[in-house]
Amino acid sequence: GENVEQHPSTLSVQEGDSAVIKCTYSDSASNYFPWYKQELGKRPQLIIDIRSNVGEKKDQRIAVTLNKTAKHFSLHITETQPEDSAVYFCAASTTGTASKLTFGTGTRLQVTL
Amino acid sequence: SAVISQKPSRDICQRGTSLTIQCQVDSQVTMMFWYRQQPGQSLTLIATANQGSEATYESGFVIDKFPISRPNLTFSTLTVSNMSPEDSSIYLCSVEGGAWYGYTFGSGTRLTVV
């Protein structure tokens, strides 16, 4: 089955700096890669996703890149703000009737003033 | 995207008892997923529930411990049976919202077994 590794487990940045979180996956059949933000006591919220026919996707301060050959994808947050502090999870899945999300281990991002 | 109502939001249960968690979706969905999130950990898929067929369980999870019902395309239940303190976790249901919306999650059930 799919295995998703995520690094780093914790990340502390100063407000205004950029943050990068990296994930690798094992199943070459995976073609959908979402990123979730989970604040304390809340449900995971989808913040951005990318599909395997695209190499990069951007939404305001958030961007995701995908390297299918190397089987890795990354989340980039620019101009970080204190409200970006949360746990971020990457995930991978195939699409179709057998689809299911496999999550990375999570990155706790702390944005300091 | 789909809106999921999950209940209860939290419960404290005695060991050896069972708890049934319910998820109601505001639209018809083919598959519903049940996850466990242990304290400070990532989300682990328990099983996939399709309407009209047996749920598909992931390695390490069995039907006797986590029976699932899926009576229609908008509703599912997960039961945590014969609970022990090790079952204390957050349990979340999830659905795929379609190509444009990805997977969305219920608000979760925080279970404490004493």
Side-chain angles (χ1 to χ4, degrees), chain A residues 32 36 38 41 43-44 46 51 89 93-94 96-97 99-101 103-105, chain B residues 4 31 33 35 37 41-43 45 58 92 96 99 101-103 105-107 110:
Chain A
Y32 175 64
Y36 287 85
Q38 187 175 34
R43 75 187 82 188
L46 178 69
R51 298 179 189 273
F89 293 99
S93 82
T94 58
T97 55
S99 69
K100 58 182 180 181
L101 279 179
F103 282 83
T105 48
Chain B
I4 305 173
M31 293 186 289
F33 305 90
Y35 287 85
Q37 187 174 27
Q41 302 295 312
S42 183
L43 290 84
L45 183 63
E58 298 299 307
L92 300 112
E96 185 183 10
Y101 300 107
Y103 293 77
F105 287 84
S107 53
R110 182 180 296 272

PDB file of all heavy atoms in Angstrom, chain A residues 32 36 38 41 43-44 46 51 89 93-94 96-97 99-101 103-105, chain B residues 4 31 33 35 37 41-43 45 58 92 96 99 101-103 105-107 110:
ATOM      1  N   TYR A  32      -3.273  12.115  -6.712  1.00  0.00           N
ATOM      2  CA  TYR A  32      -3.945  13.237  -6.060  1.00  0.00           C
ATOM      3  C   TYR A  32      -3.249  13.504  -4.735  1.00  0.00           C
ATOM      4  O   TYR A  32      -3.057  12.577  -3.929  1.00  0.00           O
ATOM      5  CB  TYR A  32      -5.421  12.905  -5.844  1.00  0.00           C
ATOM      6  CG  TYR A  32      -6.174  13.951  -5.076  1.00  0.00           C
ATOM      7  CD1 TYR A  32      -6.344  15.239  -5.593  1.00  0.00           C
ATOM      8  CD2 TYR A  32      -6.700  13.685  -3.824  1.00  0.00           C
ATOM      9  CE1 TYR A  32      -7.017  16.213  -4.892  1.00  0.00           C
ATOM     10  CE2 TYR A  32      -7.375  14.649  -3.110  1.00  0.00           C
ATOM     11  CZ  TYR A  32      -7.526  15.912  -3.649  1.00  0.00           C
ATOM     12  OH  TYR A  32      -8.205  16.887  -2.954  1.00  0.00           O
ATOM     13  N   TYR A  36      -3.618  19.445   4.189  1.00  0.00           N
ATOM     14  CA  TYR A  36      -4.619  19.818   5.178  1.00  0.00           C
ATOM     15  C   TYR A  36      -3.965  20.612   6.298  1.00  0.00           C
ATOM     16  O   TYR A  36      -2.832  20.336   6.699  1.00  0.00           O
ATOM     17  CB  TYR A  36      -5.296  18.574   5.763  1.00  0.00           C
ATOM     18  CG  TYR A  36      -6.255  17.917   4.811  1.00  0.00           C
ATOM     19  CD1 TYR A  36      -5.813  16.997   3.868  1.00  0.00           C
ATOM     20  CD2 TYR A  36      -7.607  18.233   4.838  1.00  0.00           C
ATOM     21  CE1 TYR A  36      -6.696  16.408   2.978  1.00  0.00           C
ATOM     22  CE2 TYR A  36      -8.498  17.643   3.959  1.00  0.00           C
ATOM     23  CZ  TYR A  36      -8.023  16.733   3.033  1.00  0.00           C
ATOM     24  OH  TYR A  36      -8.912  16.157   2.156  1.00  0.00           O
ATOM     25  N   GLN A  38      -4.687  21.600  10.279  1.00  0.00           N
ATOM     26  CA  GLN A  38      -5.513  21.233  11.417  1.00  0.00           C
ATOM     27  C   GLN A  38      -5.122  22.102  12.617  1.00  0.00           C
ATOM     28  O   GLN A  38      -4.018  21.983  13.140  1.00  0.00           O
ATOM     29  CB  GLN A  38      -5.381  19.754  11.773  1.00  0.00           C
ATOM     30  CG  GLN A  38      -6.374  19.310  12.845  1.00  0.00           C
ATOM     31  CD  GLN A  38      -6.317  17.820  13.117  1.00  0.00           C
ATOM     32  OE1 GLN A  38      -5.259  17.200  13.046  1.00  0.00           O
ATOM     33  NE2 GLN A  38      -7.465  17.228  13.440  1.00  0.00           N
ATOM     34  N   GLY A  41      -7.944  21.091  18.171  1.00  0.00           N
ATOM     35  CA  GLY A  41      -9.333  20.792  18.471  1.00  0.00           C
ATOM     36  C   GLY A  41     -10.288  20.903  17.301  1.00  0.00           C
ATOM     37  O   GLY A  41     -11.498  20.782  17.475  1.00  0.00           O
ATOM     38  N   ARG A  43     -11.256  20.059  12.976  1.00  0.00           N
ATOM     39  CA  ARG A  43     -11.126  19.047  11.936  1.00  0.00           C
ATOM     40  C   ARG A  43     -10.067  19.480  10.918  1.00  0.00           C
ATOM     41  O   ARG A  43      -9.796  20.677  10.792  1.00  0.00           O
ATOM     42  CB  ARG A  43     -12.471  18.858  11.221  1.00  0.00           C
ATOM     43  CG  ARG A  43     -12.826  19.985  10.252  1.00  0.00           C
ATOM     44  CD  ARG A  43     -14.233  19.850   9.703  1.00  0.00           C
ATOM     45  NE  ARG A  43     -15.225  20.374  10.636  1.00  0.00           N
ATOM     46  CZ  ARG A  43     -16.541  20.235  10.477  1.00  0.00           C
ATOM     47  NH1 ARG A  43     -17.014  19.587   9.430  1.00  0.00           N
ATOM     48  NH2 ARG A  43     -17.380  20.747  11.341  1.00  0.00           N
ATOM     49  N   PRO A  44      -9.470  18.551  10.194  1.00  0.00           N
ATOM     50  CA  PRO A  44      -8.546  18.942   9.118  1.00  0.00           C
ATOM     51  C   PRO A  44      -9.298  19.708   8.034  1.00  0.00           C
ATOM     52  O   PRO A  44     -10.405  19.324   7.644  1.00  0.00           O
ATOM     53  CB  PRO A  44      -8.031  17.600   8.591  1.00  0.00           C
ATOM     54  CG  PRO A  44      -8.316  16.614   9.673  1.00  0.00           C
ATOM     55  CD  PRO A  44      -9.562  17.094  10.346  1.00  0.00           C
ATOM     56  N   LEU A  46      -8.937  21.263   4.129  1.00  0.00           N
ATOM     57  CA  LEU A  46      -8.172  21.250   2.881  1.00  0.00           C
ATOM     58  C   LEU A  46      -7.738  22.681   2.544  1.00  0.00           C
ATOM     59  O   LEU A  46      -8.570  23.592   2.498  1.00  0.00           O
ATOM     60  CB  LEU A  46      -9.040  20.692   1.761  1.00  0.00           C
ATOM     61  CG  LEU A  46      -8.412  20.655   0.370  1.00  0.00           C
ATOM     62  CD1 LEU A  46      -7.293  19.629   0.313  1.00  0.00           C
ATOM     63  CD2 LEU A  46      -9.472  20.330  -0.678  1.00  0.00           C
ATOM     64  N   ARG A  51      -2.941  17.680  -8.619  1.00  0.00           N
ATOM     65  CA  ARG A  51      -3.116  16.400  -9.305  1.00  0.00           C
ATOM     66  C   ARG A  51      -1.904  16.137 -10.177  1.00  0.00           C
ATOM     67  O   ARG A  51      -1.173  17.055 -10.539  1.00  0.00           O
ATOM     68  CB  ARG A  51      -4.409  16.397 -10.102  1.00  0.00           C
ATOM     69  CG  ARG A  51      -5.603  16.576  -9.189  1.00  0.00           C
ATOM     70  CD  ARG A  51      -6.947  16.619  -9.865  1.00  0.00           C
ATOM     71  NE  ARG A  51      -7.969  17.007  -8.902  1.00  0.00           N
ATOM     72  CZ  ARG A  51      -8.619  16.159  -8.115  1.00  0.00           C
ATOM     73  NH1 ARG A  51      -8.354  14.868  -8.190  1.00  0.00           N
ATOM     74  NH2 ARG A  51      -9.516  16.587  -7.265  1.00  0.00           N
ATOM     75  N   PHE A  89      -0.806  18.479   7.328  1.00  0.00           N
ATOM     76  CA  PHE A  89      -0.677  17.092   6.877  1.00  0.00           C
ATOM     77  C   PHE A  89      -0.687  17.051   5.351  1.00  0.00           C
ATOM     78  O   PHE A  89      -1.550  17.664   4.712  1.00  0.00           O
ATOM     79  CB  PHE A  89      -1.845  16.240   7.377  1.00  0.00           C
ATOM     80  CG  PHE A  89      -1.881  16.038   8.854  1.00  0.00           C
ATOM     81  CD1 PHE A  89      -2.719  16.805   9.654  1.00  0.00           C
ATOM     82  CD2 PHE A  89      -1.090  15.063   9.465  1.00  0.00           C
ATOM     83  CE1 PHE A  89      -2.770  16.627  11.024  1.00  0.00           C
ATOM     84  CE2 PHE A  89      -1.133  14.874  10.835  1.00  0.00           C
ATOM     85  CZ  PHE A  89      -1.975  15.657  11.617  1.00  0.00           C
ATOM     86  N   SER A  93      -3.351   9.914  -2.724  1.00  0.00           N
ATOM     87  CA  SER A  93      -4.337   8.886  -3.057  1.00  0.00           C
ATOM     88  C   SER A  93      -4.387   8.694  -4.562  1.00  0.00           C
ATOM     89  O   SER A  93      -3.910   9.510  -5.343  1.00  0.00           O
ATOM     90  CB  SER A  93      -5.735   9.260  -2.551  1.00  0.00           C
ATOM     91  OG  SER A  93      -6.375  10.149  -3.444  1.00  0.00           O
ATOM     92  N   THR A  94      -4.992   7.597  -4.950  1.00  0.00           N
ATOM     93  CA  THR A  94      -5.398   7.435  -6.327  1.00  0.00           C
ATOM     94  C   THR A  94      -6.783   8.047  -6.448  1.00  0.00           C
ATOM     95  O   THR A  94      -7.346   8.543  -5.468  1.00  0.00           O
ATOM     96  CB  THR A  94      -5.455   5.946  -6.706  1.00  0.00           C
ATOM     97  OG1 THR A  94      -6.370   5.292  -5.814  1.00  0.00           O
ATOM     98  CG2 THR A  94      -4.089   5.300  -6.576  1.00  0.00           C
ATOM     99  N   GLY A  96     -10.829   7.402  -8.204  1.00  0.00           N
ATOM    100  CA  GLY A  96     -11.673   6.321  -8.686  1.00  0.00           C
ATOM    101  C   GLY A  96     -12.271   5.529  -7.551  1.00  0.00           C
ATOM    102  O   GLY A  96     -12.220   5.920  -6.385  1.00  0.00           O
ATOM    103  N   THR A  97     -12.800   4.383  -7.872  1.00  0.00           N
ATOM    104  CA  THR A  97     -13.572   3.613  -6.900  1.00  0.00           C
ATOM    105  C   THR A  97     -12.722   3.065  -5.764  1.00  0.00           C
ATOM    106  O   THR A  97     -13.234   2.762  -4.701  1.00  0.00           O
ATOM    107  CB  THR A  97     -14.288   2.447  -7.596  1.00  0.00           C
ATOM    108  OG1 THR A  97     -13.318   1.665  -8.289  1.00  0.00           O
ATOM    109  CG2 THR A  97     -15.333   2.951  -8.587  1.00  0.00           C
ATOM    110  N   SER A  99     -10.192   4.678  -4.373  1.00  0.00           N
ATOM    111  CA  SER A  99      -9.404   5.758  -3.796  1.00  0.00           C
ATOM    112  C   SER A  99      -9.524   5.794  -2.282  1.00  0.00           C
ATOM    113  O   SER A  99     -10.576   5.481  -1.718  1.00  0.00           O
ATOM    114  CB  SER A  99      -9.849   7.099  -4.372  1.00  0.00           C
ATOM    115  OG  SER A  99     -11.146   7.425  -3.923  1.00  0.00           O
ATOM    116  N   LYS A 100      -8.443   6.150  -1.639  1.00  0.00           N
ATOM    117  CA  LYS A 100      -8.425   6.397  -0.202  1.00  0.00           C
ATOM    118  C   LYS A 100      -7.193   7.225   0.098  1.00  0.00           C
ATOM    119  O   LYS A 100      -6.147   7.048  -0.519  1.00  0.00           O
ATOM    120  CB  LYS A 100      -8.404   5.094   0.586  1.00  0.00           C
ATOM    121  CG  LYS A 100      -7.240   4.187   0.260  1.00  0.00           C
ATOM    122  CD  LYS A 100      -7.321   2.893   1.053  1.00  0.00           C
ATOM    123  CE  LYS A 100      -6.139   1.995   0.717  1.00  0.00           C
ATOM    124  NZ  LYS A 100      -6.184   0.712   1.460  1.00  0.00           N
ATOM    125  N   LEU A 101      -7.315   8.132   1.051  1.00  0.00           N
ATOM    126  CA  LEU A 101      -6.215   9.017   1.411  1.00  0.00           C
ATOM    127  C   LEU A 101      -5.276   8.337   2.396  1.00  0.00           C
ATOM    128  O   LEU A 101      -5.730   7.749   3.381  1.00  0.00           O
ATOM    129  CB  LEU A 101      -6.741  10.295   2.060  1.00  0.00           C
ATOM    130  CG  LEU A 101      -7.270  11.412   1.167  1.00  0.00           C
ATOM    131  CD1 LEU A 101      -7.756  12.558   2.034  1.00  0.00           C
ATOM    132  CD2 LEU A 101      -6.229  11.871   0.183  1.00  0.00           C
ATOM    133  N   PHE A 103      -2.180   9.531   4.841  1.00  0.00           N
ATOM    134  CA  PHE A 103      -1.649  10.776   5.364  1.00  0.00           C
ATOM    135  C   PHE A 103      -0.189  10.654   5.764  1.00  0.00           C
ATOM    136  O   PHE A 103       0.276   9.585   6.182  1.00  0.00           O
ATOM    137  CB  PHE A 103      -2.455  11.209   6.592  1.00  0.00           C
ATOM    138  CG  PHE A 103      -3.764  11.842   6.250  1.00  0.00           C
ATOM    139  CD1 PHE A 103      -4.877  11.067   5.982  1.00  0.00           C
ATOM    140  CD2 PHE A 103      -3.878  13.217   6.176  1.00  0.00           C
ATOM    141  CE1 PHE A 103      -6.080  11.650   5.647  1.00  0.00           C
ATOM    142  CE2 PHE A 103      -5.077  13.820   5.848  1.00  0.00           C
ATOM    143  CZ  PHE A 103      -6.183  13.022   5.579  1.00  0.00           C
ATOM    144  N   GLY A 104       0.514  11.773   5.653  1.00  0.00           N
ATOM    145  CA  GLY A 104       1.828  11.889   6.254  1.00  0.00           C
ATOM    146  C   GLY A 104       1.700  12.056   7.760  1.00  0.00           C
ATOM    147  O   GLY A 104       0.595  12.154   8.298  1.00  0.00           O
ATOM    148  N   THR A 105       2.840  12.126   8.427  1.00  0.00           N
ATOM    149  CA  THR A 105       2.855  12.150   9.886  1.00  0.00           C
ATOM    150  C   THR A 105       2.601  13.520  10.481  1.00  0.00           C
ATOM    151  O   THR A 105       2.409  13.642  11.681  1.00  0.00           O
ATOM    152  CB  THR A 105       4.206  11.633  10.396  1.00  0.00           C
ATOM    153  OG1 THR A 105       5.252  12.304   9.680  1.00  0.00           O
ATOM    154  CG2 THR A 105       4.334  10.126  10.187  1.00  0.00           C
TER     155      THR A 105
ATOM    156  N   ILE B   4     -20.750  17.673   6.421  1.00  0.00           N
ATOM    157  CA  ILE B   4     -20.914  16.459   7.219  1.00  0.00           C
ATOM    158  C   ILE B   4     -21.264  16.844   8.647  1.00  0.00           C
ATOM    159  O   ILE B   4     -20.586  17.669   9.267  1.00  0.00           O
ATOM    160  CB  ILE B   4     -19.616  15.629   7.230  1.00  0.00           C
ATOM    161  CG1 ILE B   4     -19.151  15.316   5.805  1.00  0.00           C
ATOM    162  CG2 ILE B   4     -19.820  14.334   8.011  1.00  0.00           C
ATOM    163  CD1 ILE B   4     -17.782  14.642   5.744  1.00  0.00           C
ATOM    164  N   MET B  31     -18.711   6.706  -1.370  1.00  0.00           N
ATOM    165  CA  MET B  31     -17.861   6.152  -0.318  1.00  0.00           C
ATOM    166  C   MET B  31     -17.790   7.094   0.879  1.00  0.00           C
ATOM    167  O   MET B  31     -17.714   8.304   0.714  1.00  0.00           O
ATOM    168  CB  MET B  31     -16.456   5.901  -0.859  1.00  0.00           C
ATOM    169  CG  MET B  31     -16.388   4.802  -1.913  1.00  0.00           C
ATOM    170  SD  MET B  31     -14.708   4.399  -2.397  1.00  0.00           S
ATOM    171  CE  MET B  31     -14.277   5.881  -3.313  1.00  0.00           C
ATOM    172  N   PHE B  33     -15.539   7.355   4.597  1.00  0.00           N
ATOM    173  CA  PHE B  33     -14.321   6.848   5.212  1.00  0.00           C
ATOM    174  C   PHE B  33     -14.348   7.147   6.702  1.00  0.00           C
ATOM    175  O   PHE B  33     -14.804   8.206   7.120  1.00  0.00           O
ATOM    176  CB  PHE B  33     -13.093   7.526   4.577  1.00  0.00           C
ATOM    177  CG  PHE B  33     -13.033   7.391   3.079  1.00  0.00           C
ATOM    178  CD1 PHE B  33     -13.618   8.333   2.258  1.00  0.00           C
ATOM    179  CD2 PHE B  33     -12.378   6.317   2.496  1.00  0.00           C
ATOM    180  CE1 PHE B  33     -13.569   8.219   0.874  1.00  0.00           C
ATOM    181  CE2 PHE B  33     -12.310   6.193   1.120  1.00  0.00           C
ATOM    182  CZ  PHE B  33     -12.912   7.139   0.306  1.00  0.00           C
ATOM    183  N   TYR B  35     -11.772   7.460  10.043  1.00  0.00           N
ATOM    184  CA  TYR B  35     -10.386   7.609  10.457  1.00  0.00           C
ATOM    185  C   TYR B  35     -10.294   7.641  11.982  1.00  0.00           C
ATOM    186  O   TYR B  35     -11.236   8.058  12.677  1.00  0.00           O
ATOM    187  CB  TYR B  35      -9.791   8.925   9.929  1.00  0.00           C
ATOM    188  CG  TYR B  35      -9.499   8.928   8.455  1.00  0.00           C
ATOM    189  CD1 TYR B  35     -10.495   9.238   7.531  1.00  0.00           C
ATOM    190  CD2 TYR B  35      -8.226   8.621   7.969  1.00  0.00           C
ATOM    191  CE1 TYR B  35     -10.222   9.258   6.168  1.00  0.00           C
ATOM    192  CE2 TYR B  35      -7.948   8.643   6.610  1.00  0.00           C
ATOM    193  CZ  TYR B  35      -8.956   8.958   5.721  1.00  0.00           C
ATOM    194  OH  TYR B  35      -8.691   8.967   4.369  1.00  0.00           O
ATOM    195  N   GLN B  37      -7.645   9.298  14.888  1.00  0.00           N
ATOM    196  CA  GLN B  37      -6.504  10.178  15.128  1.00  0.00           C
ATOM    197  C   GLN B  37      -6.162  10.109  16.611  1.00  0.00           C
ATOM    198  O   GLN B  37      -6.844  10.696  17.455  1.00  0.00           O
ATOM    199  CB  GLN B  37      -6.809  11.618  14.708  1.00  0.00           C
ATOM    200  CG  GLN B  37      -5.588  12.518  14.779  1.00  0.00           C
ATOM    201  CD  GLN B  37      -5.829  13.910  14.221  1.00  0.00           C
ATOM    202  OE1 GLN B  37      -6.945  14.424  14.216  1.00  0.00           O
ATOM    203  NE2 GLN B  37      -4.760  14.546  13.730  1.00  0.00           N
ATOM    204  N   GLN B  41      -1.143  12.555  16.927  1.00  0.00           N
ATOM    205  CA  GLN B  41      -0.722  11.738  15.793  1.00  0.00           C
ATOM    206  C   GLN B  41      -1.463  12.125  14.514  1.00  0.00           C
ATOM    207  O   GLN B  41      -2.305  13.025  14.509  1.00  0.00           O
ATOM    208  CB  GLN B  41      -0.998  10.260  16.106  1.00  0.00           C
ATOM    209  CG  GLN B  41      -0.320   9.745  17.354  1.00  0.00           C
ATOM    210  CD  GLN B  41       1.181   9.751  17.234  1.00  0.00           C
ATOM    211  OE1 GLN B  41       1.746   9.297  16.238  1.00  0.00           O
ATOM    212  NE2 GLN B  41       1.858  10.285  18.250  1.00  0.00           N
ATOM    213  N   SER B  42      -1.099  11.439  13.457  1.00  0.00           N
ATOM    214  CA  SER B  42      -1.742  11.656  12.164  1.00  0.00           C
ATOM    215  C   SER B  42      -3.053  10.885  12.080  1.00  0.00           C
ATOM    216  O   SER B  42      -3.478  10.245  13.041  1.00  0.00           O
ATOM    217  CB  SER B  42      -0.787  11.230  11.049  1.00  0.00           C
ATOM    218  OG  SER B  42      -1.339  11.493   9.786  1.00  0.00           O
ATOM    219  N   LEU B  43      -3.683  10.966  10.940  1.00  0.00           N
ATOM    220  CA  LEU B  43      -4.940  10.264  10.718  1.00  0.00           C
ATOM    221  C   LEU B  43      -4.662   8.906  10.102  1.00  0.00           C
ATOM    222  O   LEU B  43      -3.906   8.800   9.117  1.00  0.00           O
ATOM    223  CB  LEU B  43      -5.841  11.064   9.773  1.00  0.00           C
ATOM    224  CG  LEU B  43      -6.435  12.353  10.334  1.00  0.00           C
ATOM    225  CD1 LEU B  43      -5.475  13.516  10.209  1.00  0.00           C
ATOM    226  CD2 LEU B  43      -7.752  12.669   9.644  1.00  0.00           C
ATOM    227  N   LEU B  45      -6.578   5.546   8.490  1.00  0.00           N
ATOM    228  CA  LEU B  45      -7.833   5.050   7.939  1.00  0.00           C
ATOM    229  C   LEU B  45      -8.220   3.737   8.614  1.00  0.00           C
ATOM    230  O   LEU B  45      -7.421   2.800   8.660  1.00  0.00           O
ATOM    231  CB  LEU B  45      -7.699   4.853   6.434  1.00  0.00           C
ATOM    232  CG  LEU B  45      -8.944   4.400   5.688  1.00  0.00           C
ATOM    233  CD1 LEU B  45     -10.059   5.440   5.774  1.00  0.00           C
ATOM    234  CD2 LEU B  45      -8.615   4.096   4.228  1.00  0.00           C
ATOM    235  N   GLU B  58      -8.898  -1.622   6.880  1.00  0.00           N
ATOM    236  CA  GLU B  58      -7.445  -1.535   6.699  1.00  0.00           C
ATOM    237  C   GLU B  58      -6.757  -2.510   7.641  1.00  0.00           C
ATOM    238  O   GLU B  58      -7.342  -3.003   8.623  1.00  0.00           O
ATOM    239  CB  GLU B  58      -6.971  -0.116   6.960  1.00  0.00           C
ATOM    240  CG  GLU B  58      -7.561   0.903   5.993  1.00  0.00           C
ATOM    241  CD  GLU B  58      -7.191   0.637   4.553  1.00  0.00           C
ATOM    242  OE1 GLU B  58      -5.974   0.497   4.252  1.00  0.00           O
ATOM    243  OE2 GLU B  58      -8.109   0.542   3.707  1.00  0.00           O
ATOM    244  N   LEU B  92     -12.985  10.360  13.073  1.00  0.00           N
ATOM    245  CA  LEU B  92     -13.521  11.283  12.074  1.00  0.00           C
ATOM    246  C   LEU B  92     -14.066  10.512  10.876  1.00  0.00           C
ATOM    247  O   LEU B  92     -13.459   9.528  10.445  1.00  0.00           O
ATOM    248  CB  LEU B  92     -12.428  12.231  11.563  1.00  0.00           C
ATOM    249  CG  LEU B  92     -11.739  13.122  12.574  1.00  0.00           C
ATOM    250  CD1 LEU B  92     -10.290  12.711  12.753  1.00  0.00           C
ATOM    251  CD2 LEU B  92     -11.799  14.576  12.157  1.00  0.00           C
ATOM    252  N   GLU B  96     -15.456  12.004  -0.098  1.00  0.00           N
ATOM    253  CA  GLU B  96     -14.828  12.674  -1.222  1.00  0.00           C
ATOM    254  C   GLU B  96     -15.860  13.568  -1.856  1.00  0.00           C
ATOM    255  O   GLU B  96     -16.941  13.100  -2.238  1.00  0.00           O
ATOM    256  CB  GLU B  96     -14.308  11.659  -2.243  1.00  0.00           C
ATOM    257  CG  GLU B  96     -13.526  12.315  -3.372  1.00  0.00           C
ATOM    258  CD  GLU B  96     -13.065  11.320  -4.423  1.00  0.00           C
ATOM    259  OE1 GLU B  96     -13.511  10.160  -4.379  1.00  0.00           O
ATOM    260  OE2 GLU B  96     -12.265  11.722  -5.283  1.00  0.00           O
ATOM    261  N   ALA B  99     -14.267  15.943  -7.819  1.00  0.00           N
ATOM    262  CA  ALA B  99     -12.962  16.315  -8.370  1.00  0.00           C
ATOM    263  C   ALA B  99     -12.536  17.715  -7.932  1.00  0.00           C
ATOM    264  O   ALA B  99     -11.343  17.991  -7.803  1.00  0.00           O
ATOM    265  CB  ALA B  99     -13.012  16.236  -9.891  1.00  0.00           C
ATOM    266  N   TYR B 101     -13.460  19.388  -5.076  1.00  0.00           N
ATOM    267  CA  TYR B 101     -13.541  19.711  -3.659  1.00  0.00           C
ATOM    268  C   TYR B 101     -12.679  18.833  -2.766  1.00  0.00           C
ATOM    269  O   TYR B 101     -12.497  19.150  -1.610  1.00  0.00           O
ATOM    270  CB  TYR B 101     -15.002  19.636  -3.188  1.00  0.00           C
ATOM    271  CG  TYR B 101     -15.904  20.585  -3.931  1.00  0.00           C
ATOM    272  CD1 TYR B 101     -16.817  20.111  -4.861  1.00  0.00           C
ATOM    273  CD2 TYR B 101     -15.819  21.946  -3.719  1.00  0.00           C
ATOM    274  CE1 TYR B 101     -17.636  20.976  -5.554  1.00  0.00           C
ATOM    275  CE2 TYR B 101     -16.638  22.823  -4.404  1.00  0.00           C
ATOM    276  CZ  TYR B 101     -17.544  22.335  -5.321  1.00  0.00           C
ATOM    277  OH  TYR B 101     -18.341  23.202  -6.002  1.00  0.00           O
ATOM    278  N   GLY B 102     -12.178  17.752  -3.278  1.00  0.00           N
ATOM    279  CA  GLY B 102     -11.342  16.902  -2.452  1.00  0.00           C
ATOM    280  C   GLY B 102     -12.139  16.225  -1.360  1.00  0.00           C
ATOM    281  O   GLY B 102     -13.358  16.110  -1.422  1.00  0.00           O
ATOM    282  N   TYR B 103     -11.434  15.796  -0.350  1.00  0.00           N
ATOM    283  CA  TYR B 103     -12.045  15.092   0.766  1.00  0.00           C
ATOM    284  C   TYR B 103     -12.352  16.087   1.880  1.00  0.00           C
ATOM    285  O   TYR B 103     -11.516  16.904   2.254  1.00  0.00           O
ATOM    286  CB  TYR B 103     -11.088  14.028   1.316  1.00  0.00           C
ATOM    287  CG  TYR B 103     -10.810  12.889   0.368  1.00  0.00           C
ATOM    288  CD1 TYR B 103      -9.933  13.035  -0.698  1.00  0.00           C
ATOM    289  CD2 TYR B 103     -11.411  11.648   0.547  1.00  0.00           C
ATOM    290  CE1 TYR B 103      -9.667  11.998  -1.567  1.00  0.00           C
ATOM    291  CE2 TYR B 103     -11.141  10.593  -0.310  1.00  0.00           C
ATOM    292  CZ  TYR B 103     -10.278  10.778  -1.367  1.00  0.00           C
ATOM    293  OH  TYR B 103     -10.019   9.738  -2.220  1.00  0.00           O
ATOM    294  N   PHE B 105     -14.045  16.509   5.977  1.00  0.00           N
ATOM    295  CA  PHE B 105     -14.126  15.751   7.212  1.00  0.00           C
ATOM    296  C   PHE B 105     -15.264  16.238   8.090  1.00  0.00           C
ATOM    297  O   PHE B 105     -15.617  17.430   8.075  1.00  0.00           O
ATOM    298  CB  PHE B 105     -12.814  15.871   7.993  1.00  0.00           C
ATOM    299  CG  PHE B 105     -11.686  15.079   7.388  1.00  0.00           C
ATOM    300  CD1 PHE B 105     -10.928  15.599   6.356  1.00  0.00           C
ATOM    301  CD2 PHE B 105     -11.407  13.801   7.844  1.00  0.00           C
ATOM    302  CE1 PHE B 105      -9.911  14.859   5.767  1.00  0.00           C
ATOM    303  CE2 PHE B 105     -10.382  13.052   7.277  1.00  0.00           C
ATOM    304  CZ  PHE B 105      -9.644  13.581   6.239  1.00  0.00           C
ATOM    305  N   GLY B 106     -15.823  15.301   8.845  1.00  0.00           N
ATOM    306  CA  GLY B 106     -16.717  15.672   9.918  1.00  0.00           C
ATOM    307  C   GLY B 106     -15.931  16.347  11.026  1.00  0.00           C
ATOM    308  O   GLY B 106     -14.691  16.382  11.002  1.00  0.00           O
ATOM    309  N   SER B 107     -16.649  16.864  12.005  1.00  0.00           N
ATOM    310  CA  SER B 107     -16.009  17.628  13.080  1.00  0.00           C
ATOM    311  C   SER B 107     -15.306  16.735  14.095  1.00  0.00           C
ATOM    312  O   SER B 107     -14.584  17.235  14.950  1.00  0.00           O
ATOM    313  CB  SER B 107     -17.044  18.510  13.778  1.00  0.00           C
ATOM    314  OG  SER B 107     -18.145  17.715  14.183  1.00  0.00           O
ATOM    315  N   ARG B 110     -14.455  13.058  19.942  1.00  0.00           N
ATOM    316  CA  ARG B 110     -13.349  12.860  20.893  1.00  0.00           C
ATOM    317  C   ARG B 110     -13.809  11.853  21.939  1.00  0.00           C
ATOM    318  O   ARG B 110     -14.697  12.135  22.737  1.00  0.00           O
ATOM    319  CB  ARG B 110     -12.954  14.174  21.547  1.00  0.00           C
ATOM    320  CG  ARG B 110     -11.781  14.046  22.508  1.00  0.00           C
ATOM    321  CD  ARG B 110     -11.433  15.391  23.114  1.00  0.00           C
ATOM    322  NE  ARG B 110     -10.981  16.341  22.116  1.00  0.00           N
ATOM    323  CZ  ARG B 110      -9.731  16.476  21.714  1.00  0.00           C
ATOM    324  NH1 ARG B 110      -8.775  15.713  22.246  1.00  0.00           N
ATOM    325  NH2 ARG B 110      -9.394  17.376  20.810  1.00  0.00           N
TER     326      ARG B 110
END
